[in-house]
């Protein structure tokens, strides 16, 4: 067992991540889709609608080798699940959602990232959870890098798809409104935006496995159905990204990635004032295919963001992203106004207790920037460690006081100015700072 100080050092160590995306992968996934379609036909199951023509990512857009630290991956995953409603001890549960993997990954700048001995020894019934959750971290980190490279003059925000969609559609039987009855959905939306301009939205579907390449083919085939479930604009024109992270027990991890092109995804409508409260909509479920002559065409199952709700959907994405950030800082009181009733506003109101929930009551200065947020203390290999998640104080104040427009203007203008250090020397621990103003840090407690 590693000593705790060594574990913390390893978390800050940049390592190579292998990304696999080529025509052979696209062909293998196409074959996996055909196999699954045939099996469904034999079992007399409904045929799934899938993203047509998944293709490899161009090498110029995403180098086959990407460097990330394990801590950055955990920060990315921690941010992604802040609105996931993981039980009464929400703050602790969601911190632990990423922190439980503090010893799961290793590598260095001369090698590929892989599962550590600790990560390989995860009990069998937790392996699916581990691969799925780490798969989210790697997929979202790589999607963000890819879109930043393609749209250097824009900002990329990652928004949980279920939370955003729930403001307009009844996703489950518990939600009010017309039921969609469709269980396929992307896990995230990437909103690519500039202040005051139409944004572009990319559905992201991501999975993970410990089984091998053939399982990744199957997972990407499934992801193609999840990504296809949301159309933004015209039929079959919404671009998307799909990922399957392979975490073998005896070699480097590999992120398998494909995309679907398209001219859609643009929320081209007069902008709303994002500071205004978002209201639940009741958008009728179903995706409307193009008409064929005079014959009416029945809607396909799924979720269709049509031009009449572009402005509302952009509003929903911005405020859902703001809620995720204030929740990451542990402030339920600041989070609740950004969510609608159906999105779970009630979950962030009422009494909070520091022992079980997140409470925004901690502040630290890292790399010359003041942050406010929440912390938890737990034991890592018998030693007590402290973890802190928060937001740059000036940006947090904008969000706490309802100034989403000002917050977005500032993170846009500061998007390339944030420190890239992976270790905070005065704090004496790994650190990750993201362009949205969020920070995740950990250190060994000396007393």
């Amino acid at each position: 067992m590693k000593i705790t100080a060594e574990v913390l050092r390893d978390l800050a160590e940049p390592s190579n991540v292998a990304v696999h995306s080529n025509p052979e992968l696209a062909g293998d996934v196409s074959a996996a889709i055909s196999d699954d379609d045939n099996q469904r036909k034999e079992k007399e199951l409904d045929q799934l609608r899938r993203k047509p023509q998944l293709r490899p990512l161009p090498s110029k857009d995403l180098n086959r080798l990407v460097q990330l630290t394990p801590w950055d991956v955990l920060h990315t995953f921690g941010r992604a699940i802040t609105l996931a409603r993981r039980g009464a001890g929400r703050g602790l549960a969601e911190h632990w959602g990423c922190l439980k993997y503090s010893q799961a990954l290793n590598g260095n700048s001369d090698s590929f990232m892989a599962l550590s001995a600790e990560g390989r020894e995860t009990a069998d019934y937790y392996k699916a959870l581990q691969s799925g959750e780490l798969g989210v971290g790697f997929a979202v980190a790589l999607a963000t890098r890819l879109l930043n490279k393609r749209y250097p003059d824009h900002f990329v925000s990652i928004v949980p798809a279920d939370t955003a969609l729930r403001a307009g559609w009844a996703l489950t039987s518990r939600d009010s409104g017309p039921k969609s009855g469709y269980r396929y959905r992307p896990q995230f939306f990437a909103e690519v935006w500039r202040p005051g301009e139409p944004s572009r939205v990319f559905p992201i579907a991501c999975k993970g496995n410990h089984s091998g390449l053939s399982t990744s083919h199957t997972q990407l085939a499934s992801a193609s159905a999840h990504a296809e479930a949301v159309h933004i604009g015209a039929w079959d024109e919404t671009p998307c990204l799909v990922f399957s992270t392979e975490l073998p027990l005896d070699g480097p991890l590999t992120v398998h990635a494909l995309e679907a092109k398209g001219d859609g995804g643009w929320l081209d409508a007069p902008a709303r004032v994002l500071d205004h409260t978002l209201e639940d909509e009741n958008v009728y479920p179903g995706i409307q295919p193009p008409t064929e002559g005079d014959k009416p065409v029945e809607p396909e199952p799924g979720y269709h963001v049509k031009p009449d709700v572009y402005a509302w959907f952009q509003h929903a994405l911005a405020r859902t992203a703001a809620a995720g950030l204030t929740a990451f800082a542990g402030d339920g009181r600041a989070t609740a106004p950004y969510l609608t009733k159906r999105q779970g506003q009630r979950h962030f109101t009422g009494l909070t207790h520091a022992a079980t929930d997140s409470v925004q009551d901690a502040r630290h200065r890292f790399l010359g920037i003041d942050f406010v947020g929440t912390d938890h203390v737990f034991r890592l290999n018998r030693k007590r460690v402290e973890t802190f998640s928060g937001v740059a104080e000036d940006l947090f104040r904008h969000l706490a006081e309802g100034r989403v427009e000002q917050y977005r203007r500032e993170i846009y203008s500061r998007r390339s100015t944030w420190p890239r250090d992976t270790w905070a020397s005065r704090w004496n621990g790994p650190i990750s700072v993201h362009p949205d103003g969020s920070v995740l840090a950990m250190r060994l407690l000396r007393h």
Side-chain angles (χ1 to χ4, degrees):
M1 183 166 56
K2 288 184 180 179
I3 63 172
T4 306
E6 190 179 354
V7 172
L8 298 188
R9 279 286 175 189
D10 288 348
L11 286 169
E13 191 70 34
S15 187
N16 299 308
V17 177
V19 182
H20 176 220
S21 188
N22 58 24
E24 184 181 9
L25 176 65
D28 289 337
V29 172
S30 179
I33 288 172
S34 295
D35 288 345
D36 189 56
D37 285 346
N38 290 335
Q39 289 178 33
R40 294 182 71 86
K41 192 171 184 179
E42 288 173 11
K43 295 175 183 176
E44 298 183 347
L45 298 173
D46 290 340
Q47 291 298 293
L48 296 179
R49 206 181 64 258
R50 319 216 190 220
K51 264 292 172 202
Q53 297 182 329
L54 288 175
R55 62 185 71 189
L57 307 174
S59 55
K60 66 180 177 59
D61 286 344
L62 190 67
N63 295 331
R64 291 297 172 256
L65 287 179
V66 177
Q67 279 213 330
L68 294 168
T69 67
W71 195 237
D72 184 30
V73 175
L74 297 186
H75 181 183
T76 301
F77 174 55
R79 277 285 290 110
I81 63 171
T82 51
L83 299 176
R85 292 199 252 178
R86 298 195 169 208
R90 191 201 59 77
L92 181 59
E94 283 159 15
H95 260 102
W96 192 245
C98 65
L99 298 176
K100 65 189 175 191
Y101 299 121
S102 296
Q103 298 183 80
L105 300 167
N106 66 13
N108 57 56
S109 57
D110 298 324
S111 66
F112 289 95
M113 199 177 293
L115 285 175
S116 65
E118 175 91 11
R120 292 194 298 272
E121 290 168 6
T122 299
D124 285 346
Y125 45 88
Y126 285 124
K127 285 196 186 304
L129 180 66
Q130 181 196 60
S131 60
E133 292 189 330
L134 288 176
V136 167
F138 284 103
V140 172
L142 293 175
T144 303
R145 287 195 173 202
L146 170 69
L147 294 171
N148 275 327
K149 190 164 188 176
R150 288 183 176 174
Y151 299 88
D153 295 330
H154 290 70
F155 195 95
V156 179
S157 294
I158 302 294
V159 182
D162 268 16
T163 309
L165 290 172
R166 194 164 257 120
W169 290 265
L171 303 188
T172 67
S173 58
R174 297 189 305 273
D175 298 326
S176 61
K179 305 296 182 282
S180 65
Y182 198 57
R183 65 185 183 86
Y184 292 88
R185 294 185 291 276
Q187 285 96 333
F188 299 96
F189 295 119
E191 184 194 13
V192 179
W193 57 270
R194 293 175 68 173
E197 296 185 8
S199 55
R200 195 175 199 194
V201 180
F202 295 79
I204 297 172
C206 50
K207 297 172 180 283
N209 71 84
H210 291 295
S211 303
L213 181 57
S214 62
T215 301
S216 283
H217 296 157
T218 303
Q219 288 188 334
L220 289 169
S222 173
S224 71
H226 287 272
E228 176 70 354
V230 175
H231 278 206
I232 300 167
W235 172 262
D236 264 346
E237 288 291 341
T238 306
C240 76
L241 297 164
V242 295
F243 299 90
S244 171
T245 299
E246 180 188 350
L247 295 137
L249 301 182
D250 58 354
L253 67 86
T254 302
V255 183
H256 305 282
L258 295 170
E259 68 175 337
K261 295 285 193 179
D263 295 329
W266 289 101
L267 299 177
D268 192 2
R272 288 186 170 199
V273 178
L274 302 179
D275 294 354
H276 291 171
T277 301
L278 179 70
E279 299 294 339
D280 279 324
E281 289 281 345
N282 283 308
V283 184
Y284 201 78
I287 301 173
Q288 187 59 55
T291 56
E292 299 171 359
D294 296 332
K295 285 174 36 178
V297 182
E298 286 295 309
E300 294 282 350
Y303 311 88
H304 200 165
V305 182
K306 297 179 182 177
D308 61 323
V309 293
Y310 281 174
W312 169 85
F313 193 60
Q314 189 176 46
H315 192 188
L317 292 172
R319 290 187 71 86
T320 304
L325 202 64
T326 53
F328 190 69
D331 197 322
R333 191 182 310 176
T335 302
Y338 287 116
L339 298 173
T340 68
K341 184 177 178 181
R342 271 214 307 255
Q343 285 181 306
Q345 183 185 85
R346 183 178 59 84
H347 189 61
F348 292 90
T349 57
L351 181 68
T352 58
H353 190 281
T356 60
D357 215 321
S358 278
V359 179
Q360 187 267 299
D361 62 354
R363 62 180 60 240
H364 291 287
R365 186 173 178 83
F366 301 112
L367 311 173
I369 303 168
D370 292 320
F371 290 89
V372 295
T374 188
D375 55 16
H376 287 292
V377 174
F378 63 99
R379 289 191 182 274
L380 185 63
N381 293 351
R382 301 192 182 97
K383 298 290 186 181
R384 293 171 75 237
V385 294
E386 175 188 6
T387 182
F388 172 83
S389 66
V391 179
E393 185 169 16
D394 57 333
L395 296 174
F396 180 82
R397 294 299 162 221
H398 289 320
L399 293 177
E401 294 168 18
R403 298 191 294 269
V404 185
E405 302 266 7
Q406 182 67 19
Y407 163 76
R408 282 168 72 97
R409 283 195 296 270
E410 292 201 18
I411 60 168
Y412 176 79
S413 65
R414 291 158 61 176
R415 66 192 184 281
S416 59
T417 67
W418 295 95
R420 299 186 180 181
D421 309 53
T422 62
W423 187 268
S425 54
R426 287 184 63 185
W427 163 267
N428 197 28
I431 190 168
S432 170
V433 180
H434 284 182
D436 61 3
S438 66
V439 66
L440 185 67
M442 186 192 282
R443 66 178 172 183
L444 185 64
L445 285 178
R446 296 296 182 188
H447 51 79

